[in-house]
Every structure is written in C-alpha cells, then in structure tokens.
Amino acid sequence: MIVGIEHTAIVANDVAALANWYVDTLGFVINYRSPGATFVRAQNGTMIEIFASEFPRGEQQLRTQGIRHLALTVADFDAAYETLKTKNVNFVSEPMESKGNRVVFFTDPEGNYLHLLHRAEPMPEKLE
C-alpha cells in the first residue's frame, strides 16, 4: 500500500525566495520548477513542494491544530545548530535533549516551524 511520503507542500507568499532560503540556508537543492511550484530536495531525497498562496495565513503557534513542523535530521547537531546561528535563523526554542535525542525549533522566513533532530538511536521500525 503506502510506501512513504515523497514530499510535503508549503504554501508561500514568495515561492522563489522561500525555495532559495531552503537551498542557501539548509543545503537543499532545486529539484524541479514549474510555473506554479518549486520542489526542493534534501540530501536523503525527501522533498518540499513550495507553491503560491492565494489566501492570507491565519495565526499559528507551535501547538496549533494541523501539521505543525518538519523535523530535519542531522548527523552533527552542534555543527548544524552553529551553522544556522551564523545564518541568523529565527530560533523559537533553545536546544533540548531527551534520552540522547537533541532538537531545536526554528522558523523559515514565512513562519513555518522546523526543527533540527539528532536521534541517539533510530526510531524502532515497529511498535508491538
């Protein structure tokens, strides 16, 4: 049946600027452009589709109902965090650690929540 998630979509006020931010700040690459959308791809092959907004954004908080953040995995949490700090990323939390897992929340230029994630151990493939 379902084998995975190919991409997540983000609706943006400025498609090109947001796509470029994901490239310049997070190291994604432009995978595909069409007149209405741009796909950016992470090193592991996952993608984000960015397309133009037709309606204004409602107020969002980290715990507003709906899809709330994208977790971006990193091999070296400290290095990734320091790199993002030098790029003036808007952090909305301090780095946290729980059970060896490290996370920090931040936003992209259009206010979408993201977080860096480094797991001490991979998630179990299946809970029983």
Side-chain angles (χ1 to χ4, degrees):
M1 182 124 178
I2 306 298
V3 295
I5 297 173
E6 180 201 67
H7 72 272
T8 300
I10 296 176
V11 180
N13 286 322
D14 188 333
V15 173
L18 190 59
N20 289 336
W21 183 87
Y22 277 83
V23 169
D24 297 340
T25 305
L26 301 181
F28 283 60
V29 296
I30 302 292
N31 193 63
Y32 177 79
R33 285 183 208 250
S34 71
T38 298
F39 283 78
V40 294
R41 182 176 44 81
Q43 185 178 6
N44 72 354
T46 57
M47 293 182 287
I48 299 171
E49 176 187 12
I50 302 170
F51 60 95
S53 173
E54 295 179 9
F55 306 100
R57 175 194 291 264
E59 183 178 347
Q60 293 189 70
Q61 299 295 323
L62 198 51
R63 297 224 179 238
T64 304
Q65 182 181 4
I67 295 173
R68 198 47 48 224
H69 70 265
L70 299 177
L72 307 173
T73 58
V74 294
D76 185 334
F77 183 89
D78 292 324
Y81 178 63
E82 291 301 321
T83 297
L84 292 180
K85 281 177 30 179
T86 67
K87 295 182 179 195
N88 297 315
V89 166
N90 178 42
F91 289 97
V92 297
S93 77
E94 293 296 320
M96 299 171 271
E97 185 169 340
S98 175
K99 300 178 184 173
N101 300 322
R102 299 184 66 199
V103 301
V104 65
F105 285 87
F106 61 102
T107 60
D108 69 19
E110 294 211 6
N112 300 297
Y113 290 103
L114 309 166
H115 78 72
L116 292 185
L117 170 64
H118 180 266
R119 291 193 183 278
E121 299 291 328
M123 289 281 283
E125 288 189 30
K126 182 176 169 184
L127 291 178
E128 299 192 58

